[in-house]
Amino acid sequence: MGRGKLQLKRIENKNNRQVTFSKRRSGMMKKAHELSILCDVDLALIIFSARGRLYEFCGCNERRWIRILNTFQVEGPRIEQLRLSELIQLEQKLDGMLRQTRRRKTQLMMEAIACLQEKVKKLNEQKQLMEKMIAAAESKDALQHEDLVMEQAGNNSKPPPQNVVLQLL
């Protein structure tokens, strides 16, 4: 059994309206993301809330997104002709693009940090291996030195006196 058809009209209750906006905005962003992946299309979605807050999605690379915005701005009215509310929306768009750019920059920096941490880990493993090899070589040298000392001591020592043993018999 399906749902009944929803009558489209403004929701009067402010809280219900905000909840509906939030849920539908999330759903629309998800659908835009799915469409951009499934159909391999460049897609840009810009949503302004009743309070003038900007929500955006871009299913294309950043250069393409900037080109889309530049086209919008070139075709749009000149800044001197904008009303205060339009200027506020433009400022919010710019803030959104700045946040997106900062997110991307942070993501790239975090990836670089992870790569460097992996390199540090590998270098530490190599260092430990080399320290073990040096310790083994030093231990081997010490044993060889000890064997050499024992050999030299064996050559220089006098054999046990046999006459003492014979006299006792």
Side-chain angles (χ1 to χ4, degrees), residues 74-131:
V74 168
E75 293 173 358
R78 307 221 13 105
I79 196 162
E80 298 86 20
Q81 299 169 347
L82 295 176
R83 294 183 307 228
L84 180 61
S85 63
E86 293 170 329
L87 287 172
I88 291 171
Q89 288 179 349
L90 181 59
E91 179 185 16
Q92 290 172 345
K93 285 181 194 177
L94 292 172
D95 284 341
M97 288 189 300
L98 181 61
R99 273 186 263 125
Q100 182 180 2
T101 302
R102 286 180 178 157
R103 275 193 302 264
R104 178 68 177 144
K105 185 177 178 180
T106 301
Q107 178 187 5
L108 291 173
M109 290 173 61
M110 295 304 287
E111 289 171 0
I113 288 171
C115 182
L116 290 173
Q117 287 173 337
E118 186 64 32
K119 286 181 181 180
V120 166
K121 183 180 175 182
K122 288 180 181 178
L123 287 172
N124 281 334
E125 290 172 358
Q126 289 177 352
K127 177 186 171 194
Q128 289 175 352
L129 180 62
M130 292 178 87
E131 286 174 347

Side-chain angles (χ1 to χ4, degrees), residues 128-144:
Q128 289 175 352
L129 180 62
M130 292 178 87
E131 286 174 347
K132 287 178 183 178
M133 291 171 62
I134 290 170
E138 288 175 349
S139 174
K140 184 178 178 183
D141 286 345
L143 287 175
Q144 286 177 350

Side-chain angles (χ1 to χ4, degrees), residues 21-79:
F21 172 76
S22 179
K23 287 181 179 180
R24 290 194 175 226
R25 182 194 70 232
S26 299
M28 188 175 287
M29 295 278 195
K30 182 179 177 186
K31 290 291 184 188
H33 177 70
E34 292 170 355
L35 182 63
S36 71
I37 291 173
L38 292 173
C39 299
D40 192 28
V41 295
D42 292 339
L43 184 110
L45 174 66
I46 301 173
I47 302 172
F48 291 99
S49 71
R51 296 179 184 165
R53 187 165 180 194
L54 170 70
Y55 300 93
E56 62 185 72
F57 168 80
C58 179
C60 53
N61 65 31
E62 290 181 40
R63 288 187 183 127
R64 177 80 175 130
W65 175 240
I66 291 170
R67 205 173 315 130
I68 290 169
L69 288 175
N70 286 339
T71 302
F72 172 75
Q73 290 172 357
V74 168
E75 293 173 358
R78 307 221 13 105
I79 196 162

